[in-house]
């Protein structure tokens, strides 16, 4: 048993790296009861919701605010008569706008990835609770790094 990480940490690593640790595999395959699976499902749902809220409330809103202010700076840089003395560089500001736009796209990709993983885990949770894993979902779980026994 690995005492240096919590179950939540283990699931976060599973989400980020796509591979379950041996401890997590052991927990999922041998130690969980139906009650434990239900609690685990709630914990996973809570983790996914937290990640989604963080991406939406912090990454997206912060990067959109940054993009707004950079656009304002670009407008000031283009208005030479009034703001030339500030020494604003239009090229540098445009590069920053491009970088922020790329960051927004990556944040949206992360959000989409989290949503897909959430759906996959919900399906796997239902199947584990029902006791019948069809080959398609078994393969999806194995791609997550979970080695499941033959049914």
């Amino acid at each position: 048993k690995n005492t240096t990480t919590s179950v939540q940490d283990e699931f976060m690593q599973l989400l980020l790296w796509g591979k379950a640790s041996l401890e997590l595999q052991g927990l999922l395959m041998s130690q969980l009861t139906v009650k434990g699976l239900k609690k685990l499902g709630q914990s996973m749902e809570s983790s996914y919701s937290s990640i989604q809220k963080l991406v939406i409330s912090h990454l997206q809103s912060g990067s959109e605010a940054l993009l707004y202010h950079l656009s304002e700076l670009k407008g000031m840089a283009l208005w030479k008569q009034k703001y030339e003395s500030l020494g604003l560089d239009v090229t540098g500001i445009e590069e920053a706008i491009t970088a922020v736009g790329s960051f927004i796209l990556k944040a949206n990709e992360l959000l989409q990835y989290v949503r897909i993983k959430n759906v996959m885990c919900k399906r796997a949770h239902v199947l584990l609770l029902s006791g019948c894993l069809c080959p398609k979902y078994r393969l999806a779980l194995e791609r997550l790094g979970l080695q499941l026994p033959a049914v």
Side-chain angles (χ1 to χ4, degrees):
K1 183 177 181 180
N2 188 353
T3 58
T4 60
T5 61
S6 68
V7 174
Q8 191 173 17
D9 293 336
E10 294 286 337
F11 278 108
M12 183 62 75
Q13 289 180 12
L14 175 61
L15 171 68
L16 293 174
W17 309 118
K19 183 99 173 113
S21 67
L22 293 176
E23 292 84 6
L24 184 59
Q25 288 181 30
L27 173 74
L28 291 173
M29 296 298 115
S30 63
Q31 298 176 2
L32 283 180
T33 62
V34 173
K35 183 180 178 182
L37 278 173
K38 287 180 181 176
K39 187 175 180 182
L40 179 63
Q42 292 171 346
S43 176
M44 290 171 61
E45 178 67 29
S46 173
S47 295
Y48 282 119
S49 294
S50 296
I51 293 170
Q52 286 178 330
K53 287 176 187 173
L54 287 172
V55 169
I56 291 169
S57 66
H58 295 292
L59 291 181
Q60 282 184 334
S61 62
S63 56
E64 287 169 1
L66 183 57
L67 185 61
Y68 170 79
H69 290 297
L70 286 171
S71 297
E72 290 286 315
L73 277 175
K74 182 180 176 185
M76 292 169 65
L78 291 172
W79 191 358
K80 299 267 188 220
Q81 297 89 346
K82 187 167 184 177
Y83 296 105
E84 186 175 27
S85 61
L86 294 177
L88 297 173
D89 176 32
V90 176
T91 306
I93 295 170
E94 287 174 342
E95 289 173 1
I97 288 172
T98 301
V100 171
S102 295
F103 181 79
I104 290 171
L105 290 174
K106 285 297 178 186
N108 286 331
E109 285 179 26
L110 174 63
L111 193 57
Q112 184 67 19
Y113 177 78
V114 168
R115 287 178 179 151
I116 290 169
K117 290 294 183 182
N118 189 14
V119 169
M120 283 180 60
C121 284
K122 282 181 183 179
R123 288 179 182 165
H125 181 252
V126 168
L127 291 169
L128 285 171
L129 284 176
S130 68
C132 60
L133 277 173
C134 70
K136 181 172 80 171
Y137 294 111
R138 176 178 290 278
L139 180 63
L141 288 175
E142 287 173 353
R143 284 186 184 151
L144 290 174
L146 301 176
Q147 300 303 317
L148 302 173
V151 177

